[in-house]
Amino acid sequence: MTAYNVFPITGLPEITAGADLATMLLATGVRLADGDILLVTSKVISKAEGRVLHATDREAAIDAETVRVVARRGPTRIVENRQGLVMAAAGVDASNTPPGTVLLLPENPDGSARALRRQLRELTGLNLAVVITDTFGRPWRNGLTDVAIGAAGIPVLHDHRGHVDSHGNALEVTVTATADELAAAADLAKGKTSGAPVAVIRGLAHLVADDDGDGARPLIRPADQDMFRLGTSEAIREAVTTRRTVREFTSQLVDPAAVRRAVAAAVTAPAPHHTTPWRFVLVETQQARTQLLDAMLAAWQRDLAHLDGWDEARIAGRTRRGDVLRNAPCLVVPCVVMDGSHAYPDSRRAAAEREMFVVAMGAAVQNFLVTLAGEHLGSAWVSSTMFCRDSVREVLALPPDWDPMGAVAVGHPARPAPPRPPRDPEQFITTR
């Protein structure tokens, strides 16, 4: 165990653009020691660097600093800002700054920490560490605390993996956010309203390195490792807008539980007359898949051969589109049933009744595809089974009232889908 002390630096005047913060810190009379760690509130760095924006519209300032909206609830936004930090309001702050102005975070917090450390070393000859802090909320926890957004001279993470605890248990996932722990400890000394924006931690010189190190960037979780990268509604919207038809898959197997979760979402779709007209056939065995696709291919070839202009080459080209079903790791056949439908004596109403159930099936398939996208699975909804329903029912031993509505190939995409060109919704809207 290591004992350490935390104390604030008091007596700093109001910081303005261009201020020599290192000189002003030493002018307070603080006596620094080799191995001290300075925890500096980002606001004083921002003020010294001129990151004060004259803006009556804070929301516009947040827009300018935002690269991605993570979650939005009413006026509150959690965003990823230009520094790569995920936080409320992009770090744009209207407190502790004159009315009509807002404070932006330092442009490069790690660079700011390195510059201040270098200036203090030149003035004192001491080997110090500098951590720039800001106040964050945390998922699943109430209240705010200070965390590190910039650092110099200190490793921000301590990897305990490969070590053992006091009971001899191997530590497999423990990586301590050392810089965040220091930031929170210093905040107890600085306080939020005491006017002491800088604190010193003394007694942890073993944490202070000779070089600047990697800064605070290692604290930011990479996007591909972030299980909570978006809020609920944002995740749904992203899955809907970024879902693309995928026709090439890797050989990686699909988690059956993920497919079943997608089916669970599918059967929440709206349906007529309080019915549940959806059925999903999971073609899980290779034998069943081969029999199904061979039967479908034969039916297609048999039907097309009777049409003028359909020679063998054209038929082969058309049926080759079904290869996506043959090559995908997982195959699902959605079916609609008309249980609970109303009977009508005339064909017009009977046709409209069927269309209602088909629309419900489409809504279910959309839920299915979007949920698969949320599971990071690709999919392709192919209409082939609708052209040979009898063959599909026979091979899969389906009840006669199960009506196959295409087939869905599911798997891990072989490559990222190209970006979808933006579509103007106004082109699809008519107002009366």
Side-chain angles (χ1 to χ4, degrees):
M1 299 179 64
T2 303
Y4 61 90
N5 297 318
V6 186
F7 59 90
I9 296 179
T10 58
L12 272 175
E14 179 65 25
I15 306 299
T16 58
D20 184 344
L21 189 56
T23 299
M24 295 174 72
L25 284 170
L26 297 176
T28 64
V30 63
R31 293 185 177 275
L32 299 176
D34 210 54
D36 280 352
I37 304 170
L38 273 73
L39 290 299
V40 185
T41 302
S42 63
K43 287 183 176 63
V44 298
I45 301 292
S46 295
K47 290 179 179 180
E49 294 179 353
R51 296 282 286 165
V52 180
L53 181 67
H54 292 272
T56 56
D57 186 354
R58 180 170 178 251
E59 295 302 308
I62 295 171
D63 290 341
E65 294 294 301
T66 296
V67 298
R68 178 174 63 89
V69 175
V70 174
R72 182 194 301 266
R73 298 294 181 272
T76 302
R77 280 187 283 173
I78 307 298
V79 306
E80 179 184 342
N81 66 14
R82 294 191 295 110
Q83 290 83 356
L85 301 167
V86 176
M87 60 192 307
V92 176
D93 199 339
S95 62
N96 294 303
T97 187
T101 65
V102 294
L103 281 174
L104 310 180
L105 288 180
E107 188 77 35
N108 179 0
D110 284 333
S112 301
R114 294 183 186 117
L116 180 57
R117 183 188 191 221
R118 183 176 61 253
Q119 292 164 350
L120 287 170
R121 173 176 282 181
E122 291 172 353
L123 292 172
T124 66
L126 300 173
N127 186 29
L128 309 169
V130 174
V131 177
I132 296 175
T133 70
D134 199 65
T135 304
F136 272 52
R138 297 147 302 146
W140 312 294
R141 305 284 289 182
N142 284 322
L144 305 172
T145 188
D146 267 21
V147 302
I149 66 169
I154 187 168
V156 296
L157 295 172
H158 184 187
D159 192 345
H160 298 272
R161 292 173 297 182
H163 299 276
V164 296
D165 63 17
S166 59
H167 295 281
N169 300 310
L171 300 176
E172 298 179 354
V173 297
T174 304
V175 180
T176 301
T178 305
D180 284 351
E181 292 180 327
L182 295 171
D187 194 40
L188 293 173
K190 291 186 295 182
K192 295 299 183 188
T193 59
S194 65
V198 184
V200 177
I201 294 182
R202 179 169 295 165
L204 299 177
H206 64 281
L207 297 178
V208 179
D210 291 331
D211 61 0
D212 285 336
D214 296 329
R217 177 62 60 171
L219 289 165
I220 300 176
R221 191 183 299 275
D224 61 349
Q225 299 175 19
D226 188 353
M227 296 177 65
F228 311 101
R229 189 167 182 265
L230 293 169
T232 303
S233 61
E234 290 75 19
I236 293 172
R237 185 159 53 248
E238 181 172 272
V240 171
T241 56
T242 62
R243 188 209 65 78
R244 303 293 301 274
T245 295
V246 176
R247 299 186 182 276
E248 294 184 61
F249 305 96
T250 70
S251 58
Q252 182 179 351
L253 296 179
V254 172
D255 180 6
V259 177
R260 284 163 171 78
R261 287 192 291 269
V263 172
V267 298
T268 65
H273 315 316
H274 306 287
T275 59
T276 54
W278 320 283
R279 305 292 185 270
F280 289 83
V281 183
L282 310 186
V283 186
E284 295 185 332
T285 68
Q286 187 60 46
Q287 179 182 4
R289 180 206 294 257
T290 300
Q291 290 176 345
L292 170 64
L293 296 177
D294 286 351
M296 289 170 56
L297 177 60
W300 270 84
Q301 291 173 333
R302 184 173 58 251
D303 291 344
L304 293 176
H306 296 290
L307 301 178
D308 291 337
W310 285 83
D311 56 21
E312 290 186 6
R314 187 178 180 188
I315 291 174
R318 180 63 183 83
T319 57
R320 194 176 297 116
R321 299 179 187 178
D323 286 351
V324 63
L325 302 179
R326 197 175 294 273
N327 298 331
C330 178
L331 184 61
V332 180
V333 179
C335 300
V336 65
V337 297
M338 299 288 289
D339 290 349
S341 62
H342 295 175
Y344 292 98
D346 62 290
S347 59
R348 180 175 64 82
R349 287 183 173 82
E353 181 75 3
R354 172 175 166 75
E355 288 175 355
M356 290 167 55
F357 280 75
V358 171
V359 168
M361 188 73 241
V365 171
Q366 173 71 353
N367 282 5
F368 183 68
L369 301 180
V370 168
T371 305
L372 290 174
E375 299 272 0
H376 300 288
L377 290 168
S379 62
W381 186 16
V382 181
S383 60
S384 301
T385 66
M386 300 171 66
F387 292 85
C388 47
R389 290 185 167 110
D390 290 339
S391 298
V392 174
R393 278 191 289 262
E394 179 181 354
V395 171
L396 296 180
L398 304 180
D401 60 339
W402 285 34
D403 199 354
M405 301 298 292
V408 181
V410 183
H412 294 272
R415 59 186 57 84
R420 187 196 303 275
R423 293 174 178 171
D424 181 4
E426 295 300 325
Q427 296 181 2
F428 304 90
I429 296 173
T430 298
T431 303
R432 294 289 186 266

